[in-house]
Amino acid sequence: MSEVNRGSRIGGWTRFVTARPRLSLLVALVITALAVFAGSGVGDRMGSGGWEDPAASSTYATKALEREFPASQPNLLLLVDAGGKGVDDPAVAAEARRLTERLAAEDGVVGVGSYWQTRAPALRAEDGGEALIAARIVGTEKEAGETLERIAPEFRGTQGSLDVSVGGPVAVRHEMQAIIQEDLLRAELIALPVTLVLLVMVFGSAIAALLPLGIGIVAILGTNAVLRGITEITDVSVFAQNLTTALGLGLAVDYALFIVRRFREELAEGVEVRDAVGTTLRTAGRTVLFSALTVAVSLAAMMVFPQYFLRSFAYAGIAVVLLAAAAALILLPAALMLLGHRVNSLDLRRLFGKGRKKPVPGDGTADGSADGTSGGWGRTAALVMRRAPLFAVATATGLVLLGLPFLGVKFGTADDRQLPSSAEARVVQEDIRSGFPGSPGGGLEVLGEGGATAAEYADYRDRVAALPDVLRVDGPVVSGDHAYFTVLPRGEAVDQDTQRLVRELRAEPAAFDTSVTGTAAVLVDSKDAIGDRLPLAAGVIVVVTLLLVFLLTGSVLIPIQAVALNALSLTAMFGAVVWVFQDGHLSGFLGFTPTGDIETTLPVLMFCVAFGLSMDYGVFLISRIKEEYDRSGDHERSVIFGLQRTGGLITAAAVILAVVMVAIGTSRVTNTMMLGLGIALAVVMDAMVVRSLLVPAVMKLTGRATWWAPGPLRRFHDRFGVSEGGSHPAVVAGATDSTGGADGAVSGAGERDKVGV
C-alpha cells in the first residue's frame, strides 16, 4: 500500500469529522453551551470535608453521638469577648444568656450550651475575658452551610456590650469552600492569558495557539457539568474543581500540541489537508488516546478508597481527561480541516522582526538537519547515551536524595490552619487553642451502648483515667441505653501518643459496647483505610499501565522501565512536600502555617495525579521512538530521533502545565497550595530530568533488548496492539534482539495498520 493511500485511510468516525467539520463544530458548540448551563453553581453544591472513612468505627460513633447527644458534637462556636469587663460580670452574663437563647431558637440549630449556663471551665478563657457558646447545626454539609450563611450575620459583630466572632468546624469548612472558589477564579485569570502567551511562543501562530486553549475550555466546562450531575448522587469535594482546571488546561495543551504539531509536519511535507488530518489521527491520535487512558487509569485508582475527598478527584479527573481527549480527537480535527494551511496564520513573531523562518516546532529539522536527529535535543540524547552509566547513576541518585525527607513524613488531619491567618474561623480557633484550658479539639469521645449500671460506668471511667496518656475523663453523660465519656489526652490532638491512646481505648474491656471518635480517632481510621487499600490502588495503576504500554510498544521491558522511571520522577515532589509543608521551610515566603504533619490523603492524591501526567509525557516520547525504530531498526538512532522530535514539545507542554499548577498553588488554602506547587515540581522534574536524561541513558544500557518480547506476547501484540507508525518500515520481522534470538523480532507498523482511529 502506498504512503498516500495509507495516509488517507481514515476510520469511520474520523471520516465523519473530516467530511462534516462545520457540523461537528456546531454540535460541539451547542453541547458546550448546555454544559455551561448544566454546570453552573456546581461549587455551591460541593463539600469541603471527605477525609474520613464512612464505614469506620469513628464515623459510626460520631453519627450516634450527633443523634443521641447533639451537645456532645458542637460544630458551631460563638466566641464572646466581654470587652474588658470579664465574662462573669452580671451585665455581660445577662447579655450572653439572651444571645444563647436567640441561637437556640434558630431553625436547624440544636444542642446549644454556653459557659453562662453550664459554668464548664473548658468554655471559659483562662484570662476570663472570653467565653464560648457552643451548638450544633444539623443536616448535610450543604444544609449546614446554608444555615450558617443565614444565621451568621445575625450573631457576628457587636451584640450589645459583647463582641462576637463565628467559628467551629462548620464555619471552617464554609470559609474554606468560599476561599477555594475565589482562589480558583483568580488562578484561571492568571493561567489562561499566560498559557496563551506561552502557546504563541511555542507555535508562533496565534491561530494555532488558540486551538489548545479552546480544547481546554471545552474540557473544563464539560467536566463541571459532569460534576454537577454527580453531586445529585453522592458527595463531591470542592477541592476537585482545582484539578478540573489544571488538568483541563494542561492535558488539552498536551494533546493539542501533539496533534497540531504532527498536522503541521504533514503540511510542511506537502501532504494534502485531508490526508494530513488522517495521518495525524492515525499516528498522534493513537498516542493521545493511549496517553488519556493511562492518565485516566492512574486517577481511577482513587476510586478504591472510601474517603469521598479522594473519590472526588477520580470523578473529576476521569471526566476531564476523557473530555480533553475526545475534544482533541473530534473537535480539533474538524477545526484543522477548516483551517488547513491557515493554521500557520498570524505569526506574531513578525512583530519582533522574527518572521517564520524555521520549520514547525518539534519537526526534527528545526536545526537544519535532514534526518531530525542532530538538533539541540538530539545532541543532548547523543551525549547522554555516550555516557549512559554516568547519567543513569547520577540522575537516579540525585532523585533518590531529593526524596529522602519523605522518610520523615508524619500524617495528620486538615484543620483551621489550612486557612489564611486573617480568616475569621481560624482566628476563633487560634484564640481557643491558645487561651482556653485543656486540649480544645483534641478530646476523644467514647460512646457506650447497650446500657450499664452506674457502678459499671464508674469502673470503666476509673480504668480509662488510669491509662498513662490520659489527662482527665469527664462523664458519663447517660441517656437511656446510651452514654458517652470525654477523654482528654495529655498530648496534642493528633500526635503519636494520642493515636496510641485511641487504640488503647478501643482495646479496653467494658461491660457495654464502646466505640471511639474524635480527631485522633478519625485520623487512625483514615490511615488504616488508606493503608488497607493502597496495595490494590497501586496494583491497578501498575498492571493496567504495563498492559497499555505493552499494547503500544510490543516490548516487555519498556512498560517496566516506564513504571519504574515514572515513580522515580516523583521523589522530588514527595521530598519537597515534607521539607516545605511539614517542616515549614519557606513557609514565610509562601505564606502558610506549618502544622508539623501532612494531611493523610494528600500524598495518595498527588501520586495518582503526578504519575498519570508522567505517563502522559512518557507515552509521547516512547511512541515516537517506537515509530522510528519500526521504520529504521536502529535502536540508538531511534532514541535520539524520538527525543529530538518530542523533547521541545514535552518541555513546552510541561512548562505550560507547571504554570497552570503554580497558579493553582497561589491558593490561600494550604492543601491546595501544596497540591499545585508539588505537582508543578513533579511535572518539571519529569520532563526536564527524567525524559531528557534518565530515559535515553536507560534505553542505551538496555540496548536492542529494550524491544524484546517472548513469542506468545509478541503474537498477542501483533493481534491486539497498536503502533503510531504510519510510514513504511525499513525493519521487518527479521530484526532480532541483543541475544540474536528470533523472539526479538519486531513487526513493522507499516506491515499492519491494526487500529483505525
Side-chain angles (χ1 to χ4, degrees):
M1 182 180 292
S2 70
E3 285 286 340
V4 173
N5 287 339
R6 185 175 299 278
S8 60
R9 193 174 75 179
I10 306 172
W13 66 264
T14 305
R15 185 182 302 112
F16 172 80
V17 170
T18 55
R20 299 176 178 84
R22 289 183 176 83
L23 178 60
S24 299
L25 292 177
L26 178 61
V27 170
L29 182 62
V30 172
I31 293 175
T32 302
L34 293 175
V36 172
F37 175 76
S40 61
V42 62
D44 296 332
R45 301 183 60 83
M46 292 180 164
S48 54
W51 291 284
E52 68 280 354
D53 176 4
S57 170
S58 58
T59 305
Y60 169 80
T62 298
K63 291 181 178 178
L65 287 169
E66 289 175 4
R67 182 180 65 252
E68 303 293 336
F69 305 99
S72 71
Q73 297 284 297
N75 58 8
L76 175 66
L77 298 175
L78 300 185
L79 179 65
V80 179
D81 188 334
K85 295 182 179 179
V87 295
D88 294 314
D89 180 86
V92 169
E95 188 71 45
R97 291 191 187 96
R98 287 193 291 271
L99 190 66
T100 304
E101 292 169 359
R102 281 175 50 202
L103 182 61
E106 293 287 347
D107 292 336
V109 180
V110 299
V112 179
S114 70
Y115 164 73
W116 296 274
Q117 291 175 321
T118 65
R119 294 292 170 177
L123 298 178
R124 179 183 183 275
E126 292 176 335
D127 64 3
E130 296 173 319
L132 293 172
I133 301 173
R136 179 160 195 87
I137 299 179
V138 297
T140 64
E141 279 189 27
K142 180 177 181 295
E143 292 167 344
E146 291 173 348
T147 301
L148 180 69
E149 283 186 343
R150 173 173 56 82
I151 68 175
E154 300 178 15
F155 291 90
R156 177 184 291 120
T158 303
Q159 304 288 329
S161 62
L162 310 178
D163 187 64
V164 180
S165 301
V166 179
V170 69
V172 171
R173 288 198 302 267
H174 189 266
E175 196 155 3
M176 188 177 296
Q177 186 171 359
I179 290 174
I180 286 173
Q181 292 188 53
E182 292 172 5
D183 291 348
L184 181 60
L185 177 60
R186 187 182 69 250
E188 291 172 346
L189 294 176
I190 295 171
L192 286 172
V194 174
T195 298
L196 180 59
V197 170
L198 291 173
L199 286 169
V200 170
M201 293 172 63
V202 171
F203 282 121
S205 163
I207 297 297
L210 287 171
L211 294 175
L213 209 58
I215 297 298
I217 291 172
V218 168
I220 292 170
L221 295 176
T223 303
N224 283 339
V226 171
L227 291 178
R228 176 64 173 79
I230 294 175
T231 59
E232 298 289 343
I233 304 171
T234 187
D235 293 322
V236 179
S237 172
V238 68
F239 288 92
Q241 279 193 300
N242 295 288
L243 185 68
T244 296
T245 296
L247 289 186
L249 282 177
L251 292 177
V253 167
D254 288 357
Y255 300 156
L257 274 173
F258 206 59
I259 288 175
V260 173
R261 189 255 358 219
R262 188 59 182 256
F263 176 72
R264 295 173 79 184
E265 284 183 27
E266 297 297 324
L267 291 183
E269 293 174 3
V271 178
E272 294 295 327
V273 171
R274 182 178 297 274
D275 292 340
V277 171
T279 300
T280 297
L281 288 171
R282 192 175 55 255
T283 56
R286 288 175 181 161
T287 301
V288 165
L289 180 60
F290 263 68
S291 172
L293 290 176
T294 58
V295 177
V297 166
S298 294
L299 297 172
M302 287 185 284
M303 292 288 289
V304 307
F305 298 102
Q307 294 92 336
Y308 87 73
F309 174 80
L310 287 174
R311 297 171 70 90
S312 298
F313 284 93
Y315 306 146
I318 294 171
V320 76
V321 168
L322 297 182
L323 285 171
L329 296 174
I330 299 174
L331 303 185
L332 192 53
L336 294 176
M337 279 294 299
L338 294 176
L339 288 171
H341 289 274
R342 291 191 299 274
V343 73
N344 297 319
S345 300
L346 297 180
D347 188 348
L348 299 183
R349 289 176 300 189
R350 290 176 180 149
L351 298 176
F352 305 97
K354 299 178 181 179
R356 197 174 186 284
K357 299 176 182 178
K358 62 181 181 179
V360 294
D363 69 357
T365 61
D367 57 354
S369 64
D371 62 0
T373 62
S374 58
W377 288 104
R379 287 191 294 271
T380 298
L383 172 63
V384 170
M385 296 178 80
R386 283 197 300 271
R387 301 287 187 271
L390 174 62
F391 277 98
V393 172
T395 305
T397 302
L399 291 172
V400 169
L401 290 175
L402 289 174
L404 287 180
F406 193 71
L407 296 177
V409 65
K410 298 176 182 177
F411 295 109
T413 57
D415 59 23
D416 58 280
R417 288 171 291 180
Q418 293 282 316
L419 295 170
S421 58
S422 59
E424 180 186 25
R426 176 174 173 178
V427 170
V428 171
Q429 297 303 123
E430 292 281 12
D431 281 356
I432 295 172
R433 190 179 291 115
S434 61
F436 284 70
S439 178
L444 299 170
E445 284 80 33
V446 180
L447 172 68
E449 296 179 289
T453 64
E456 289 171 331
Y457 284 137
D459 176 66
Y460 178 78
R461 181 191 60 211
D462 292 342
R463 283 188 284 111
V464 169
L467 294 174
D469 294 315
V470 173
L471 177 65
R472 189 177 80 244
V473 180
D474 296 331
V477 178
V478 182
S479 175
D481 290 340
H482 295 80
Y484 80 92
F485 303 81
T486 300
V487 180
L488 295 180
R490 293 185 182 276
E492 296 296 326
V494 293
D495 65 11
Q496 293 300 315
D497 291 340
T498 306
Q499 293 179 53
R500 183 175 62 249
L501 176 60
V502 171
R503 301 190 187 278
E504 292 173 350
L505 290 173
R506 288 173 172 171
E508 187 70 28
F512 43 89
D513 295 331
T514 62
S515 51
V516 182
T517 188
T519 305
V522 171
L523 173 60
V524 168
D525 289 338
S526 180
K527 288 167 64 175
D528 288 346
I530 290 175
D532 290 343
R533 292 164 176 80
L534 195 58
L536 175 59
V540 169
I541 293 174
V542 170
V543 170
V544 180
T545 299
L546 290 173
L547 176 61
L548 289 173
V549 177
F550 172 76
L551 290 175
L552 184 65
T553 64
S555 162
V556 170
L557 192 56
I558 288 179
I560 297 173
Q561 288 179 357
V563 170
L565 298 186
N566 283 358
L568 190 60
S569 73
L570 308 184
T571 54
M573 174 185 72
F574 285 123
V577 161
V578 171
W579 191 76
V580 175
F581 290 96
Q582 175 181 295
D583 299 341
H585 299 98
L586 304 181
S587 59
F589 174 73
L590 294 174
F592 69 90
T593 300
T595 59
D597 52 47
I598 301 296
E599 204 284 317
T600 314
T601 59
L602 258 294
V604 176
L605 168 63
M606 296 175 75
F607 173 83
C608 292
V609 175
F611 186 90
L613 293 173
S614 296
M615 281 305 306
D616 184 48
Y617 300 138
V619 167
F620 287 171
L621 175 58
I622 291 168
S623 64
R624 206 60 192 267
I625 294 174
K626 174 66 163 59
E627 178 184 358
E628 179 61 17
Y629 185 72
D630 284 347
R631 191 193 68 80
S632 70
D634 186 329
H635 174 69
E636 291 191 24
R637 182 188 184 282
S638 299
V639 176
I640 296 172
F641 178 92
L643 190 60
Q644 172 59 24
R645 288 288 181 116
T646 62
L649 176 75
I650 290 173
T651 302
V655 168
I656 291 172
L657 180 56
V659 166
V660 176
M661 295 308 306
V662 168
I664 297 294
T666 62
S667 174
R668 294 165 290 169
V669 175
T670 306
N671 274 356
T672 305
M673 181 189 299
M674 186 190 311
L675 177 67
L677 298 182
I679 293 179
L681 176 61
V683 165
V684 171
M685 292 295 292
D686 181 76
M688 297 187 176
V689 177
V690 174
R691 303 297 151 206
S692 303
L693 303 177
L694 199 53
V695 169
V698 170
M699 294 190 81
K700 167 64 176 180
L701 294 176
T702 54
R704 286 174 61 86
T706 302
W707 306 101
W708 177 83
L713 287 180
R714 190 178 69 250
R715 289 188 290 273
F716 178 85
H717 179 264
D718 289 345
R719 183 172 181 181
F720 299 106
V722 301
S723 172
E724 185 181 309
S727 347
H728 285 308
V731 173
V732 291
T736 59
D737 65 11
S738 58
T739 64
D743 281 347
V746 178
S747 298
E751 295 183 344
R752 62 187 185 272
D753 192 10
K754 290 171 286 190
V755 176
V757 177

